[in-house]
Amino acid sequence: MSLDRPSCLTLSSTLRAEAERVFHAETALACEEAAAAARQTIEETLTALATERQAPAATQARLEAGCAELEGASRQLEELRNQFSTELERAREQVAIAQDRTEASERRALCERPGPRAGR
């Protein structure tokens, strides 16, 4: 088969065009692969950031729950102190009343004591 110059030029142009198309296809494929790798890296980074954000949020939630529990315990302690003070005051009053009764009973006993007996 013999090729004349115009046929060779046409064939050469066709081969060049095909080579360019293959080059562009390979370049496009490489770009798509690089973009996919970049998207994967971005997704991994976003996932890591979300995880990092959750730790402080969980800590904040535990802190708020602890503060609420502490406030509840403080209120309960105050109520218990008030109850104790009230009961202590009542007990003191009862002791004072018991002491008064004891003293009155002792005075009555002293008054009722028979005097010394005369003349034996």
Side-chain angles (χ1 to χ4, degrees), residues 89-99:
E89 185 60 33
R90 286 182 189 152
R92 285 181 179 157
E93 289 172 1
Q94 289 174 353
V95 167
I97 291 170
Q99 285 177 340

Side-chain angles (χ1 to χ4, degrees), residues 64-84:
E64 290 172 4
C67 286
E69 186 177 338
L70 182 61
E71 287 176 16
S74 293
R75 282 192 301 272
Q76 185 178 11
L77 178 62
E78 186 63 30
E79 289 174 12
L80 290 172
R81 283 181 177 163
N82 287 338
Q83 288 175 358
F84 178 76

Side-chain angles (χ1 to χ4, degrees), residues 9-24:
L9 289 176
T10 303
L11 184 59
S12 177
S13 294
T14 304
L15 288 174
R16 270 193 210 140
E18 182 64 20
E20 278 186 32
R21 187 188 66 73
V22 168
F23 173 76
H24 288 299

